[in-house]
Amino acid sequence: MLDLVLLRHGQSTWNAENLFTGWVDVDLTAHGEDEARSGGLLLADEPGLDLRILHTSVLTRAIRTAELALAAAGRSWLPVRRDWRLNERHYGDLQGKNKAEIKAQFGAEQFQLWRRSYDTPPPPLSADNPHTTAGDPRYRDLDPALLPVTECLADVVARVVPYWESAIVPDLRQAALQGSAVLVAAHGNSIRALRKHLQGISDAEITELEVPTGIPYRIRLDDDLSVHSAETLGDPAVAAAAAEAVARQADQPA
C-alpha cells in the first residue's frame, strides 16, 4: 500500500487580507502557524502513519507549514525535496488584488470562472504588475519559458502530474517497502490538481472542491496507483467548516 498525505499551508497573510496570492511569496499569519502545528499533531496521532520524506513547493508559506507541522509531529529530521511545480496556481494580473473587489468589478460569474473554473485563466500578469518572478533566485535555473504569467487549473495539472510521476511516485514506492508514507506540503490548487488526477475528479466536479488550510488529507493507493482509501485527518466537521470558509472568501468585505 502506498501512503500519501497532502497538507495545504496554513493561513497566509494574504489569505487573511483576502488577496489573490498565487506565486507571490508571503508568510503565514500567527493563526496559520497554529494551523500548521495542529496539522502536525494530527499527523502524530494518526495510527500507522510513519512519514519518511517530505515534498514541498518553493514558496515560504508551504515550507514553513511543513517545518512547523513536522516539528509538532516529531519529524523535523525528514529529508526534503522542493520543486516549483508544486507551487500555487499563478493568478496572473489578479495577484495582489482583493477578491471581493474583483467580484464587485467584474461580476460573480466572471469572478468564479477566474477563481475556480478548470480551463479559464485570469488575465496574464501585466508589465506594470509588481508581483513578477523576474529576478527571483529560486527560479534562476529554469528556462524562462517555463515560468507562467497566468494559469488555469488545467495548467497546474499539466505541471504537477509530471512531478508526481517522476518524483513523488518513486518515493512512495520506496517508502512503501518500509511501511512508511510521503508528505506533500503545497497549496490549494496544486493539491486540487493532484486529487483530480488521483481520484478521477471530473473537470466540472473539481470546481466544487475546496481544500482547507492546515488539515492533512491521507490517501492510500494500491500498487497500480488506484485509490484504496482517502480521508481527512481529525474531525470531519472541522474540515468541512474550514473548506466552507475558503469557499466564502469572496464574500468578505473589501
Side-chain angles (χ1 to χ4, degrees), residues 11-43:
Q11 183 193 61
S12 74
T13 56
W14 278 19
N15 289 149
E17 295 175 32
N18 203 26
L19 304 179
F20 283 101
T21 310
W23 280 39
V24 182
D25 194 37
V26 300
D27 207 344
L28 300 177
T29 62
H31 177 65
E33 293 174 347
D34 288 341
E35 287 182 319
R37 294 186 189 99
S38 296
L41 295 176
L42 290 173
L43 295 173

Side-chain angles (χ1 to χ4, degrees), residues 190-232:
S190 46
I191 288 174
R192 290 170 75 228
L194 267 176
R195 287 188 56 182
K196 183 182 194 306
H197 176 69
L198 295 175
Q199 296 174 294
I201 302 173
S202 71
D203 295 359
E205 291 173 328
I206 197 63
T207 64
E208 303 298 322
L209 178 65
E210 300 289 355
V211 180
T213 53
I215 300 178
Y217 187 78
R218 187 179 187 182
I219 304 176
R220 278 168 275 201
L221 303 157
D222 292 320
D223 190 63
D224 63 358
L225 302 181
S226 60
V227 174
H228 180 84
S229 64
E231 60 183 348
T232 300

Side-chain angles (χ1 to χ4, degrees), residues 23 84-85 133 139 141-149 151 159:
W23 280 39
W84 68 275
R85 288 172 290 181
T133 56
Y139 308 114
D141 296 326
L142 292 178
D143 179 348
L146 293 174
L147 298 178
V149 292
E151 288 180 308
R159 63 170 159 88

